[in-house]
Amino acid sequence: PEEAMALLDKTIAITRSTDATGGDDFAHRLTNTADVLNREGRHQEALVKLNEALAIVHRNHAEKTKIEGTIYLSLGDAYLGLGQADDALAVFQKAHRVMKKTMGSKSKEAALSIQSCGL
């Protein structure tokens, strides 16, 4: 996990140095990094990355996108890790609405997001 985190941090630093931080690719990198942080129990750090990723996605897309739903799922995991069940449930519900709209109500993504709502 430490090696993976170091590589993810390096790709984020390189992207920041080239000022290519406005696209969905960067939002994906931030989300992947946050997922590793969540697995390591570093939930507060994950929240920072995920909120930055969400801001990028909202800035780039007027319509809902799958990555937005993915970010909400990761945000929910971070809130759960911090013991904030109400906040987790709220973002898991957002994830479900987004996944249902973007991927379809019978998609595996929608099913995963509704499963997360059960906490």
Side-chain angles (χ1 to χ4, degrees):
E2 288 179 31
E3 291 175 6
M5 194 68 231
L7 287 172
L8 289 168
D9 283 340
K10 187 174 183 175
T11 62
I12 288 173
I14 290 169
T15 305
R16 286 191 198 283
S17 72
T18 61
D19 199 32
T21 58
D24 286 353
D25 286 343
F26 189 61
H28 277 286
R29 285 187 191 102
L30 290 167
T31 304
N32 290 340
T33 302
D35 288 340
V36 172
L37 290 167
N38 272 332
R39 284 192 297 275
E40 292 181 350
R42 297 163 58 186
H43 307 293
Q44 195 63 49
E45 293 173 73
L47 283 177
V48 172
K49 304 277 189 218
L50 292 164
N51 283 315
E52 183 177 359
L54 193 58
I56 291 167
V57 170
H58 285 166
R59 187 174 54 243
N60 290 341
H61 302 280
E63 295 292 318
K64 302 296 183 194
T65 62
K66 180 182 176 185
I67 186 174
E68 181 180 1
T70 301
I71 293 167
Y72 283 133
L73 286 171
S74 295
L75 276 168
D77 290 339
Y79 283 127
L80 273 182
L82 291 169
Q84 298 175 14
D86 290 341
D87 292 331
L89 180 58
V91 293
F92 284 144
Q93 289 171 335
K94 284 182 183 182
H96 179 64
R97 287 191 298 273
V98 170
M99 290 303 195
K100 197 165 77 169
K101 181 175 181 170
T102 61
M103 304 303 293
S105 61
K106 296 184 180 191
S107 67
K108 66 179 180 179
E109 292 85 358
L112 173 63
S113 61
I114 196 65
Q115 180 183 0
S116 295
C117 289
L119 301 177

